[in-house]
Coordinates of all heavy atoms in Angstrom, one line a residue:
A322 N -7.6 -18.5 -44.1 CA -7.4 -19.6 -45.0 C -7.7 -19.2 -46.5 O -7.0 -19.5 -47.4 CB -8.4 -20.8 -44.6
F323 N -8.8 -18.3 -46.6 CA -9.1 -17.8 -47.9 C -8.0 -17.0 -48.5 O -7.6 -17.1 -49.7 CB -10.4 -17.0 -47.8 CG -10.7 -16.2 -49.0 CD1 -11.3 -16.8 -50.1 CD2 -10.4 -14.8 -49.1 CE1 -11.6 -16.1 -51.3 CE2 -10.7 -14.1 -50.3 CZ -11.3 -14.7 -51.3
A324 N -7.4 -16.1 -47.6 CA -6.2 -15.3 -48.0 C -5.1 -16.1 -48.4 O -4.4 -15.9 -49.5 CB -5.9 -14.3 -46.9
K325 N -4.8 -17.1 -47.6 CA -3.6 -18.0 -47.9 C -3.8 -18.8 -49.2 O -2.9 -18.9 -50.0 CB -3.5 -19.0 -46.7 CG -2.2 -19.8 -46.7 CD -2.1 -20.6 -45.4 CE -0.8 -21.3 -45.3 NZ -0.6 -22.0 -44.1
N326 N -5.0 -19.2 -49.5 CA -5.3 -20.0 -50.7 C -5.3 -19.1 -51.9 O -4.9 -19.6 -53.0 CB -6.7 -20.6 -50.5 CG -7.1 -21.4 -51.8 OD1 -7.8 -21.0 -52.6 ND2 -6.6 -22.7 -51.8
N327 N -5.5 -17.8 -51.8 CA -5.6 -16.9 -52.9 C -4.4 -16.0 -53.1 O -4.4 -15.0 -53.8 CB -6.9 -16.1 -52.9 CG -8.1 -17.0 -53.2 OD1 -8.4 -17.2 -54.4 ND2 -8.8 -17.4 -52.2
G328 N -3.4 -16.3 -52.3 CA -2.1 -15.5 -52.4 C -2.3 -14.0 -51.9 O -1.6 -13.1 -52.3
I329 N -3.2 -13.8 -51.0 CA -3.5 -12.5 -50.4 C -2.6 -12.3 -49.2 O -2.6 -13.2 -48.3 CB -4.9 -12.3 -50.0 CG1 -5.9 -12.4 -51.3 CG2 -5.2 -10.9 -49.4 CD1 -7.3 -12.6 -50.9
P330 N -1.8 -11.3 -49.1 CA -0.8 -11.1 -48.0 C -1.6 -11.1 -46.6 O -2.7 -10.5 -46.6 CB -0.1 -9.8 -48.2 CG -0.4 -9.4 -49.7 CD -1.7 -10.1 -50.1
F331 N -1.0 -11.7 -45.6 CA -1.6 -11.7 -44.3 C -1.8 -10.3 -43.8 O -2.7 -10.0 -43.0 CB -0.8 -12.5 -43.3 CG -1.4 -12.7 -42.0 CD1 -2.3 -13.6 -41.7 CD2 -1.0 -11.7 -41.0 CE1 -2.9 -13.7 -40.4 CE2 -1.6 -11.8 -39.7 CZ -2.5 -12.8 -39.4
S332 N -1.0 -9.4 -44.2 CA -1.0 -8.0 -43.7 C -2.4 -7.4 -44.0 O -2.8 -6.4 -43.3 CB 0.1 -7.2 -44.4 OG 0.0 -7.2 -45.8
R333 N -3.1 -7.9 -45.0 CA -4.4 -7.3 -45.3 C -5.5 -7.7 -44.2 O -6.5 -7.1 -44.2 CB -4.9 -7.9 -46.7 CG -4.1 -7.5 -47.9 CD -4.2 -6.1 -48.3 NE -5.6 -5.8 -48.9 CZ -5.9 -5.9 -50.1 NH1 -5.0 -6.4 -51.0 NH2 -7.1 -5.6 -50.6
L334 N -5.2 -8.7 -43.4 CA -6.1 -9.1 -42.4 C -5.8 -8.3 -41.1 O -6.7 -8.2 -40.2 CB -5.9 -10.6 -42.0 CG -6.6 -11.6 -43.0 CD1 -5.9 -13.0 -42.9 CD2 -8.1 -11.7 -42.8
I335 N -4.6 -7.8 -40.9 CA -4.3 -7.1 -39.6 C -5.2 -6.0 -39.2 O -5.6 -5.9 -38.1 CB -2.8 -6.7 -39.7 CG1 -1.9 -7.9 -39.7 CG2 -2.5 -5.8 -38.5 CD1 -0.4 -7.6 -39.9
P336 N -5.7 -5.2 -40.2 CA -6.6 -4.1 -39.8 C -7.9 -4.6 -39.2 O -8.7 -3.8 -38.6 CB -6.8 -3.3 -41.1 CG -5.6 -3.6 -41.9 CD -5.3 -5.0 -41.6
L337 N -8.2 -5.8 -39.3 CA -9.5 -6.4 -38.8 C -9.4 -7.1 -37.5 O -10.3 -7.6 -36.9 CB -10.1 -7.4 -39.8 CG -10.4 -6.8 -41.2 CD1 -10.7 -7.8 -42.2 CD2 -11.6 -5.8 -41.1
L338 N -8.1 -7.1 -36.9 CA -7.9 -7.8 -35.7 C -8.6 -7.1 -34.5 O -8.8 -7.8 -33.5 CB -6.4 -8.0 -35.4 CG -5.7 -9.0 -36.3 CD1 -4.2 -8.9 -36.1 CD2 -6.1 -10.4 -36.0
D339 N -8.9 -5.8 -34.6 CA -9.6 -5.2 -33.5 C -10.9 -5.8 -33.2 O -11.4 -5.9 -32.1 CB -9.7 -3.7 -33.7 CG -10.2 -3.2 -35.0 OD1 -10.6 -4.1 -35.8 OD2 -10.3 -2.0 -35.3
F340 N -11.6 -6.3 -34.3 CA -12.9 -7.0 -34.1 C -12.7 -8.3 -33.3 O -13.5 -8.7 -32.5 CB -13.5 -7.4 -35.5 CG -14.0 -6.2 -36.3 CD1 -13.7 -6.1 -37.6 CD2 -14.7 -5.2 -35.7 CE1 -14.2 -5.0 -38.4 CE2 -15.2 -4.1 -36.4 CZ -14.9 -4.0 -37.8
C341 N -11.5 -9.0 -33.6 CA -11.2 -10.2 -32.8 C -11.1 -9.9 -31.3 O -11.6 -10.6 -30.5 CB -10.0 -10.9 -33.3 SG -10.2 -11.7 -35.0
A342 N -10.3 -8.8 -31.0 CA -10.1 -8.5 -29.6 C -11.4 -8.2 -28.9 O -11.7 -8.6 -27.8 CB -9.2 -7.3 -29.5
V343 N -12.3 -7.4 -29.6 CA -13.6 -7.1 -29.0 C -14.4 -8.3 -28.7 O -15.0 -8.4 -27.7 CB -14.3 -6.1 -29.9 CG1 -15.8 -5.9 -29.5 CG2 -13.6 -4.7 -30.0
S344 N -14.5 -9.2 -29.7 CA -15.3 -10.4 -29.5 C -14.7 -11.4 -28.4 O -15.4 -11.9 -27.6 CB -15.4 -11.2 -30.8 OG -14.2 -11.7 -31.3

Side-chain angles (χ1 to χ4, degrees):
F323 171 79
K325 192 171 185 177
N326 181 262
N327 287 280
I329 300 165
F331 182 84
S332 58
R333 298 286 292 270
L334 283 161
I335 291 174
L337 300 168
L338 285 171
D339 51 4
F340 291 137
C341 288
V343 170
S344 63

